[in-house]
């Protein structure tokens, strides 16, 4: 009889424990991570419902989640479908459930609704240190933490070649995809080292002076560009001198067209994400864009007053590249492409197309068809 009573006590304790969990007590924690905002965050042993502070974070999750990419995403901000519509369409074609992911905001942090996020009952929120989404001091973070929902910050924008590694390691841990993260970073770091090792001994005189116009021709005034970070970091890693680096206090900003003309760079790069059916000025680049459409749009960009007279353009050293490399762990492709443009003899054996194929074949569940870099003069 005593044994029967003991068994009933064990069963009752189990029921009470289950009821306690369902009543909203904190979940079991697997480990503590330090995110890119310097915050120590307790991560649940099991993650089922994820909120993305920026929709384009799917680029970072894709190599980790692969065919399960949208199994756990329940909410995201809408800038992905707005800023890179054709990429969004290709993801939806592969993952129809992506079209049903709840929108928590439009394209800026002030449009994100904390109430909407909490209604989705997330058990993890992934936000970015810099960019379109809510920051560490936002009301959203305060409300999520009050609800015992862990919030993790990563970043691919400000210091991309350093933070891509740290961010993918963090994501691997919080998503419990450590091996997938290690595999991706082995690919990433080996390709990056191949470029940086080869340009390391180049004297400054052999490093071309480069200007990149981000979202080229889409603003009334020129020129939106990168400084000591972001796309500027790709220029440096590829063996170039970014003429905007000493002119900007931050990693992204605007400089006057007159300063670009005065600097007269050796190489001009435009970036953009407009699709083939988009209206208005800007570079057609990315998914669904053919090389012919991309090249024609690049020539319209470089035909503008001031830009057309740059030595880089008149000598045929003008190029176009996909804008979304600026906020993506696929930025290694941008580094390789730039290295090939800057130092064609030094990197005669480098094949960015093969690297892109390896990226698709080994890591990504969506093989994006389109044009992601182009020469103005084939």
């Amino acid at each position: 009889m005593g044994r029967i009573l003991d068994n009933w006590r064990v069963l009752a304790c189990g029921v009470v424990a289950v009821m306690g969990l369902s009543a909203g007590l904190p979940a079991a924690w697997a480990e503590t991570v330090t995110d890119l905002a310097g915050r120590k965050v307790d991560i649940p042993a099991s993650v089922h419902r994820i909120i993305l502070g920026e929709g384009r974070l799917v680029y970072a999750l894709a190599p980790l989640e692969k065919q399960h990419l949208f199994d756990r995403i329940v909410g995201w901000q809408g800038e992905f479908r707005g800023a890179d519509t054709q990429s969004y369409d290709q993801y939806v074609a592969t993952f129809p459930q992506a079209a049903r992911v709840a929108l928590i905001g439009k394209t800026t942090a002030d449009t994100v609704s904390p109430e909407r996020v909490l209604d989705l009952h997330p058990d993890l929120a992934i936000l970015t240190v810099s960019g379109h989404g809510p920051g560490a001091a936002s009301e959203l973070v305060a409300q999520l933490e009050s609800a015992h929902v862990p919030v993790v910050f990563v970043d691919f924008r400000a210091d991309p070649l350093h933070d891509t590694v740290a961010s993918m390691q963090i994501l691997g841990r919080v998503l419990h995809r450590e091996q997938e993260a290690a595999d991706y970073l082995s690919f990433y770091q080996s390709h990056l080292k191949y470029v940086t090792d080869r340009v390391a001994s180049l004297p400054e005189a052999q490093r071309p002076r480069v200007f990149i116009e981000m979202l080229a021709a889409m603003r009334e005034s020129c020129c939106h560009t990168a400084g000591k970070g972001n796309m500027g970091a790709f220029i440096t890693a590829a063996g170039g001198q970014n003429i905007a680096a000493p002119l900007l206090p931050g990693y992204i900003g605007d400089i006057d067209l007159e300063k670009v003309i005065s600097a007269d760079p050796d190489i001009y790069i435009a970036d953009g994400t407009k699709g083939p059916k988009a209206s208005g000025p800007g570079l057609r680049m990315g998914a669904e864009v053919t090389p012919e459409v991309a090249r024609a749009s690049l020539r319209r960009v470089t035909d503008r007053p001031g830009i057309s007279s740059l030595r880089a353009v008149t000598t045929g050293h003008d190029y176009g590249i996909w804008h979304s490399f600026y906020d993506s762990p696929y930025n290694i492709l941008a580094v390789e492409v730039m290295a090939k443009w800057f130092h064609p003899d030094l990197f005669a054996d480098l094949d960015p197309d093969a690297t892109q194929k390896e990226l698709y074949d080994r890591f990504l569940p969506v093989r994006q068809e389109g044009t992601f870099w182009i020469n103005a003069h084939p």
Side-chain angles (χ1 to χ4, degrees), residues 113-248:
S113 165
E115 293 77 15
R116 176 61 173 145
V117 172
L118 291 171
D119 285 346
L120 294 170
H121 305 292
D123 48 28
L124 176 67
I126 303 172
L127 307 183
T128 56
V129 174
S130 57
H132 292 264
S138 68
E139 178 63 24
L140 174 64
V141 172
Q143 292 202 27
L144 286 171
E145 289 178 338
S146 294
H148 303 291
V149 177
V151 181
V152 173
F153 281 89
V154 295
D155 203 67
F156 299 93
R157 187 182 272 105
D159 186 9
L161 300 184
H162 175 270
D163 290 345
T164 289
V165 175
S167 293
M168 293 302 284
Q169 289 172 334
I170 290 168
L171 290 174
R173 292 176 66 186
V174 303
L175 298 174
H176 308 301
R177 302 287 193 193
E178 290 90 345
Q179 187 58 56
E180 289 83 354
D183 291 345
Y184 183 77
L185 288 176
S186 176
F187 157 82
Y188 180 90
Q189 291 177 298
S190 65
H191 281 272
L192 180 60
K193 187 175 186 296
Y194 183 85
V195 174
T196 56
D197 281 0
R198 196 170 287 192
V199 303
S201 60
L202 283 176
E204 186 169 321
Q206 294 181 26
R207 297 172 183 261
R209 299 167 65 256
V210 182
F211 177 69
I212 184 165
E213 184 181 3
M214 301 175 69
L215 299 175
M218 291 181 60
R219 301 183 177 209
E220 288 187 11
S221 61
C222 184
C223 302
H224 188 56
T225 191
K228 297 182 181 72
N230 200 261
M231 287 278 201
F234 309 157
I235 292 171
T236 301
Q241 300 180 61
N242 177 20
I243 68 166
L247 302 176
L248 291 177

Side-chain angles (χ1 to χ4, degrees), residues 44-117:
S46 182
V47 172
H48 301 286
R49 299 179 64 81
I50 299 170
I51 292 290
L52 301 181
E54 293 195 28
R56 281 175 291 183
L57 279 168
V58 294
Y59 290 139
L61 268 62
L64 309 180
E65 298 282 77
K66 295 185 170 67
Q67 298 302 326
H68 300 285
L69 179 56
F70 285 93
D71 288 1
R72 299 193 278 180
I73 300 172
V74 298
W76 58 0
Q77 193 167 205
E79 98 294 339
F80 178 34
R81 66 181 67 183
D84 197 357
T85 304
Q86 62 271 28
S87 290
Y88 170 80
D89 290 342
Q90 289 192 347
Y91 268 77
V92 170
T94 302
F95 297 99
Q97 64 268 44
R100 300 189 293 272
V101 173
L103 289 179
I104 62 171
K106 296 179 181 178
T107 61
T108 57
D110 59 0
T111 65
V112 175
S113 165
E115 293 77 15
R116 176 61 173 145
V117 172

